Amino acid sequence: MHSNHLLLEEPIRMASILEPSKAGFFPAMTKIVGTLGAKSRSVEVLSACLKAGMSVARFDFSLGDTKYHQETLENLKSAIKSTKKLCSVMLDTAGPELTVVNKSEKPISLEANATITLTPDEGQEASSEVFPINFGGLSKAVKKGDTIFIGQYLFTGSETTSVWLEVDQVKGDDIVCIVKNSATLTGSLFTLHAAQIHIDLPTLSDKDKKVISTWGVQNKIDFLSLSFTRHAEDVREAREFLSKLGDLSQTQIFAKIENEEGLKHFDDILQEADGIILSRGNLGIDLPPEKVFLFQKAAVYKCNMAGKPAVVTRVVDSMTDNLRPTRAEATDVANAVLDGTDAILLGAETLRGLYPIETISTVGKICAEAEKVFNQDLYFKRTVKFVGEPMSHLESIASSAVRAAIKVKASVIICFTSSGRAARLIAKYRPTMPVLSVVIPRLKTNQLKWSFTGAFEARQSLIVRGLFPMLADPRHPAESTNASNESVLKVALDHGKASGVVKSHDRVVICQKVGDASVVKIIELEG
């Protein structure tokens, strides 16, 4: 994977671009989050998605009820069993989402320059003259000249399925708007987004809390995607809520930045959250188009330096209906990888798209190509400089392991960890080879029963670039002194050989704790 490592900064022989790429065991180091829905919930399709490279399954609770999502999850579990490929679960909250209900479900056509009234009177029927909305406070938040977007698939950027309104006047609770573009809206529910306007609704709604405390607890979700995160306090409140729900105290919170408010408080949110989702769909409405790239590059850089996963959305929208992405989209995916993104999140493309498996496969191939020209050396130096001196003990060990692995051209870094922190720190330095995170389960008790930790930690590394987990057998010692004894290291190496990551005579860098000390060692495998 790393032997043919080029740099874009070096001269590339143009003809070499046409040479077919060698397939690695892992589709890519960059992870793929797939949103599951109508077109991606059968065991057959899910098995193919896992094989194509999906490692995180996202369940979007803006659509579908708990029963629907439970059926999908049961199918996912069957697919995991049959493919033997790990996959983690992300619950995406609805958050303070503003909607228009079209009870008749008849298509509604709007003409440019016409007027339409938005009213909180939900008893009214949606028509080309009036839209009932689910939030009574909007009239107090907007003023003449403000922009409001409405559409079934609002954030695809398609002007034929979304409408742009300009506030003309506020009459009590009603808002009279001028229609700026002609469009036909279809379906029973339209999403509404008021650009750059504070919506006075809680980030975790009562509906979200109910879903988390029932479906989330029942399924021990690995990640909570917190929609419309606007302040660090939102993350703290969500964490406090999760901490009271038993196993969910270990669930990681990914803050979804999707409006101007979240952007302004980004640094504080990053400190509190376990990872960040750059929701370019919504944000692309609040930000001028020419500023979106700047936010992405700055946000990904900040996440990289903090060692927290950065997830980018809205990359191959056109694959919702087409087998191939546009050239711009293919370049966009590659640029996200070169920026340092950990994972690419697919929404409509896998949820209702016609080609969920092909989309995952295509994105994986683009990521793998971009990883080959990722300037690891420059990235490494920048990260070390950012961390500064004196380095913490763990940070020093992690950076040394990566530097050693690159110098000796190791084929893999094996890291023994119980919390997963050491493996994440190694991945933070973006080694050119995969990091096999061997999670050693720990025994814990609540005075009533014994249980092992480890499953959460293993699954949560499935969103970190370059990190591939393996859950060790707690009966095996991490290192054996007796040659006949089956050590975890031997098991890990055997796993590496079976999966094609490690071959005879390869060098492997191992990072583990021996007593109180952390040790980095290099071993050369026998023939």
Side-chain angles (χ1 to χ4, degrees):
M1 190 167 190
H2 50 283
S3 53
N4 55 349
H5 204 74
L6 293 160
L7 283 186
L8 285 173
E9 291 78 0
E10 295 168 356
I12 290 178
R13 196 169 54 83
M14 283 304 184
S16 70
I17 292 172
L18 301 172
E19 289 165 11
S21 303
K22 293 188 189 79
F25 168 69
F26 301 114
M29 305 274 264
T30 306
K31 303 302 175 67
I32 296 173
V33 182
T35 305
L36 305 188
K39 292 284 191 287
S40 53
R41 61 194 302 257
S42 70
V43 176
E44 186 188 357
V45 172
L46 288 168
S47 299
C49 287
L50 292 171
K51 285 178 188 164
M54 177 180 83
S55 64
V56 181
R58 171 175 169 256
F59 292 80
D60 184 355
F61 275 85
S62 317
L63 311 153
D65 56 14
T66 50
K67 184 173 176 282
Y68 178 87
H69 288 302
Q70 192 61 42
E71 284 169 12
T72 308
L73 183 54
E74 294 307 326
N75 288 348
L76 176 66
K77 286 175 185 170
S78 302
I80 291 168
K81 223 174 208 168
S82 65
T83 59
K84 294 188 168 54
K85 289 196 180 289
L86 271 179
C87 186
S88 52
V89 171
M90 175 182 279
L91 187 159
D92 196 299
T93 63
E97 194 166 56
L98 306 186
T99 54
V100 174
V101 177
N102 177 18
K103 289 177 194 158
S104 72
E105 296 194 28
K106 286 177 187 156
I108 297 173
S109 292
L110 300 169
E111 295 296 324
N113 301 318
T115 58
I116 187 164
T117 303
L118 306 181
T119 176
D121 177 4
E122 292 188 58
Q124 290 208 42
E125 195 76 38
S127 69
S128 54
E129 284 85 44
V130 65
F131 273 176
I133 60 173
N134 67 338
F135 177 50
L138 191 62
S139 59
K140 295 178 184 68
V142 297
K143 60 185 185 309
K144 187 178 169 68
D146 280 344
T147 304
I148 292 172
F149 292 87
I150 295 177
Q152 187 186 8
Y153 305 123
L154 173 62
F155 307 118
T156 59
S158 167
E159 288 302 327
T160 55
T161 60
S162 59
V163 70
W164 168 25
L165 310 176
E166 188 181 293
V167 176
D168 186 41
Q169 56 175 308
V170 176
K171 288 184 173 176
D173 287 342
D174 292 354
I175 304 154
V176 181
C177 302
I178 298 166
V179 179
K180 303 299 278 186
N181 67 296
S182 299
T184 299
L185 306 183
T186 55
S188 59
L189 201 68
F190 312 140
T191 310
L192 181 148
H193 181 83
Q196 301 182 356
I197 286 167
H198 171 75
I199 300 300
D200 195 17
L201 284 169
T203 303
L204 257 191
S205 67
D206 289 342
K207 183 190 163 197
D208 290 330
K209 286 180 176 175
K210 191 178 176 202
V211 164
I212 295 165
S213 52
T214 53
W215 193 89
V217 170
Q218 180 189 340
N219 297 299
K220 297 184 180 176
I221 53 164
D222 304 296
F223 304 109
L224 179 74
S225 162
L226 192 60
S227 295
F228 297 98
T229 304
R230 294 165 284 185
H231 303 268
E233 190 54 38
D234 295 342
V235 183
R236 282 193 286 270
E237 282 173 13
R239 200 173 304 283
E240 195 182 332
F241 178 69
L242 291 179
S243 70
K244 295 170 183 159
L245 298 173
D247 283 325
L248 294 200
S249 59
Q250 282 181 274
T251 297
Q252 289 188 350
I253 298 173
F254 274 57
K256 216 165 156 197
I257 308 296
E258 38 194 334
N259 57 20
E260 197 187 56
E261 239 178 311
L263 180 144
K264 283 178 180 165
H265 302 110
F266 184 87
D267 291 349
D268 296 337
I269 292 169
L270 177 60
Q271 272 193 313
E272 286 295 329
D274 296 300
I276 297 281
I277 296 173
L278 315 180
S279 184
R280 302 190 311 175
N282 294 31
L283 201 63
I285 286 176
D286 265 17
L287 283 180
E290 67 273 20
K291 297 281 190 185
V292 177
F293 86 95
L294 200 53
F295 166 71
Q296 177 175 316
K297 286 183 184 294
V300 171
Y301 172 76
K302 284 171 183 278
C303 290
N304 288 167
M305 294 304 112
K308 292 182 178 183
V311 182
V312 169
T313 69
R314 309 312 307 232
V315 287
V316 284
D317 282 334
S318 70
M319 286 196 79
T320 306
D321 305 305
N322 300 297
L323 255 176
R324 284 167 68 96
T326 66
R327 289 86 181 141
E329 288 171 334
T331 306
D332 186 28
V333 175
N335 277 326
V337 172
L338 295 174
D339 287 346
T341 298
D342 284 82
I344 300 288
L345 189 152
L346 301 172
E349 303 96 324
T350 53
L351 174 84
R352 58 182 169 83
L354 305 177
Y355 308 104
I357 302 151
E358 291 84 352
T359 305
I360 293 167
S361 174
T362 302
V363 169
K365 284 176 190 164
I366 299 168
C367 291
E369 285 297 315
E371 286 157 12
K372 288 177 189 168
V373 292
F374 180 72
N375 193 332
Q376 200 282 334
D377 193 47
L378 183 70
Y379 180 94
F380 186 91
K381 285 174 182 160
R382 205 169 62 177
T383 312
V384 168
K385 188 180 172 191
F386 180 87
V387 170
E389 291 174 359
M391 265 189 177
S392 72
H393 179 73
L394 256 181
E395 198 92 45
S396 163
I397 291 289
S399 55
S400 302
V402 174
R403 178 50 89 211
I406 288 166
K407 291 278 189 221
V408 303
K409 290 190 163 50
S411 56
V412 69
I413 299 173
I414 295 177
C415 175
F416 293 100
T417 178
S418 50
S419 67
R421 190 163 157 243
R424 279 198 302 275
L425 266 184
I426 290 173
K428 170 183 164 180
Y429 287 91
R430 294 283 185 261
T432 50
M433 64 291 295
V435 180
L436 202 56
S437 161
V438 183
V439 181
I440 312 285
R442 285 182 301 197
L443 199 56
K444 65 170 187 174
T445 177
N446 62 359
Q447 268 83 52
L448 294 172
K449 63 176 189 228
W450 292 93
S451 63
F452 281 110
T453 66
F456 262 113
E457 291 80 358
R459 289 194 305 266
Q460 282 168 345
S461 58
L462 289 166
I463 204 165
V464 180
R465 177 151 147 193
L467 205 50
F468 299 91
M470 175 192 149
L471 201 52
D473 185 325
R475 293 168 301 184
H476 291 157
E479 196 166 7
S480 80
T481 43
N482 177 351
S484 63
N485 197 350
E486 184 89 325
S487 72
V488 173
L489 175 58
K490 182 178 181 306
V491 175
L493 288 170
D494 288 347
H495 175 72
K497 284 175 189 163
S499 57
V501 187
V502 192
K503 340 181 264 305
S504 308
H505 305 296
D506 272 2
R507 287 171 180 169
V508 174
V509 167
I510 292 150
C511 189
Q512 67 184 134
K513 274 193 115 155
V514 176
D516 291 335
S518 295
V519 178
V520 172
K521 60 184 181 183
I522 302 160
I523 60 169
E524 195 160 331
L525 301 182
E526 295 164 3

